[in-house]
Amino acid sequence: MKEQIIEKIKDFDKIIIHRHVRPDPDALGSQGGLAEILKATFPQKSIYVVGEEEPSLTFMNRMDTIEDDVYKGALVIICDTANEARISDTRYTLGDYIIKIDHHPNEDKYGDMIWVDTEASSVSEMIYEFYLYGRDNHSFKLTDKGAELLYTGIVGDTGRFLFPNATEKTMKFAGELRNYDFDLSAVYNEMYKVSLSLARLNGYVLSHFQYVDPGVGYIYLTKEVMEEFNTTPSESSLLVNTFSNVEGLKTWVFFVEEPDQIRVRLRSKGPIVNTIAAKYNGGGHPMASGATVHTIKETEQIIQDLIEACKETN
Ligand code: AMP
């Protein structure tokens, strides 16, 4: 598969790299890391990264602004995006050929070529593996900035190597990336800094989340609460793991009111939650998934589903 992707890359002079909406470090790290590799290896090609920016992550890299006609005759590569609906910048359809590179279950098989590895901790890890293959067989190059982006993506999706998706391979790759010249302290400072407002909201979440037997935690953040703490829905969503270490907790859900919908973030230490997310038109990983709902009744149903899922794993 890596060889076929490289053949396609060689065929095109223009390559536009996309990733999912509401980008996280792995979306930006895999997208930007791949762009760095391709720019360094093929300086004569035009390589672009597109999509909306997330203000808290602009320290990683910035997006290109391109006109629609750049897509004519272009190869489009989409990183870290399980389903078409979540691709940031819908112009990806204007390209000549689409490659999907992802580590989520391949339920929405979009694109002309697909490389999915659900064993990979992150797409950044896949891109580094892709680079190693390219280096050994096609003289691929990786810049310090590219290594920084891939490292940041791996750190993001493994929760600083805390989650079980961090395998021996993940650690090995991270170790190799660490040998490149970038300021790791600066990266961590940027990744994990919180505003005073968010720190205060964290306190609110810790004291107001509900626990229901046999192991479900949940909180519903209303517009009013976020206004009181002066935080946005996307910032507030970052607190999803804030009570994850509470004894007895098996699965938890974070509901965040957005202007016209309720964002649902599901997390688990055992019960499968992506099947529950799928019931509400969502999806994701077995232990980390999400959905969007519109009524309080649906949020109550999700809590009930989680209780049932916990009972089943007892
Ligand atoms: P999040 O809670 O936004 O970090 O999402 C966790 C995982 O669930 C992500 O990796 C996404 O693949 C998936 N996910 C989140 N929201 C949705 C959604 N509305 N539809 C499908 N998948 C989603």
Side-chain angles (χ1 to χ4, degrees):
M1 183 50 72
K2 295 183 194 88
E3 187 60 39
Q4 288 172 38
I5 294 174
I6 292 172
E7 288 316 313
K8 276 291 158 202
I9 288 170
K10 287 186 171 171
D11 283 350
F12 285 86
D13 293 331
K14 283 186 289 186
I15 301 167
I16 307 169
I17 311 174
H18 289 241
R19 39 71 190 170
H20 63 76
V21 292
R22 291 199 294 231
D24 56 12
D26 186 38
L28 294 170
S30 55
Q31 177 191 38
L34 178 60
E36 284 287 318
I37 293 164
L38 298 184
K39 281 181 192 171
T41 309
F42 304 102
Q44 72 286 5
K45 293 188 193 293
S46 302
I47 315 289
Y48 304 99
V49 289
V50 298
E52 96 277 21
E53 292 193 327
E54 161 55 45
S56 65
L57 295 174
T58 48
F59 74 91
M60 289 183 69
N61 64 345
R62 304 304 299 261
M63 294 298 114
D64 297 310
T65 307
I66 57 172
E67 298 298 326
D68 292 0
D69 59 8
V70 179
Y71 281 87
K72 263 190 221 123
L75 170 65
V76 169
I77 302 180
I78 300 164
C79 292
D80 196 33
T81 312
N83 51 327
E84 276 195 90
R86 296 194 80 225
I87 300 172
S88 182
D89 197 333
T90 51
R91 296 179 299 169
Y92 66 94
T93 51
L94 303 177
D96 276 22
Y97 195 88
I98 296 175
I99 301 178
K100 172 188 187 184
I101 303 181
D102 191 27
H103 70 135
H104 301 98
N106 191 22
E107 269 145 34
D108 184 357
K109 299 179 178 60
Y110 67 83
D112 303 299
M113 189 185 283
I114 298 177
W115 178 31
V116 165
D117 179 1
T118 53
E119 303 286 300
S121 69
S122 50
V123 178
S124 299
E125 178 180 314
M126 293 174 70
I127 297 297
Y128 184 66
E129 186 174 294
F130 176 69
Y131 157 71
L132 292 179
Y133 177 85
R135 181 195 67 186
D136 295 344
N137 298 282
H138 299 271
S139 306
F140 270 34
K141 297 185 180 73
L142 173 62
T143 59
D144 291 330
K145 181 65 191 173
E148 176 186 322
L149 286 166
L150 295 179
Y151 190 92
T152 306
I154 293 173
V155 166
D157 259 28
T158 60
R160 288 179 264 187
F161 309 106
L162 183 71
F163 307 149
N165 63 357
T167 62
E168 182 183 355
K169 191 205 259 182
T170 315
M171 303 303 228
K172 182 172 176 289
F173 286 2
E176 289 175 18
L177 288 164
R178 195 58 199 96
N179 280 330
Y180 285 77
D181 185 19
F182 61 90
D183 186 346
L184 185 59
S185 306
V187 168
Y188 281 136
N189 284 342
E190 285 292 342
M191 279 181 96
Y192 297 106
K193 73 176 181 209
V194 286
S195 64
L196 185 58
S197 319
L198 200 62
R200 301 282 191 233
L201 182 67
N202 196 29
Y204 173 90
V205 170
L206 284 172
S207 47
H208 288 81
F209 82 89
Q210 300 293 312
Y211 176 85
V212 204
D213 276 332
V216 177
Y218 67 91
I219 187 150
Y220 186 96
L221 286 181
T222 61
K223 281 183 205 119
E224 290 73 27
V225 165
M226 288 182 278
E227 266 163 31
E228 183 190 331
F229 283 88
N230 194 24
T231 57
T232 63
S234 62
E235 257 183 304
S236 309
S237 299
L238 298 173
L239 299 175
V240 60
N241 288 324
T242 225
F243 51 86
S244 64
N245 54 351
V246 167
E247 194 177 2
L249 200 70
K250 293 196 185 84
T251 175
W252 60 103
V253 55
F254 217 81
F255 299 109
V256 183
E257 264 184 17
E258 294 184 343
D260 48 0
Q261 59 191 25
I262 303 164
R263 181 172 177 192
V264 183
R265 301 193 83 191
L266 291 155
R267 295 293 185 269
S268 177
K269 293 180 189 176
I272 306 293
V273 290
N274 58 353
T275 47
I276 295 174
K279 273 179 69 180
Y280 302 88
N281 296 318
H285 304 271
M287 300 292 128
S289 17
T292 303
V293 297
H294 295 91
T295 61
I296 298 290
K297 191 155 185 284
E298 285 169 300
T299 67
E300 290 166 355
Q301 280 163 354
I302 291 173
I303 295 165
Q304 281 310 315
D305 290 344
L306 291 175
I307 293 171
E308 289 310 314
C310 269
K311 283 183 188 159
E312 281 163 24
T313 53
N314 259 349

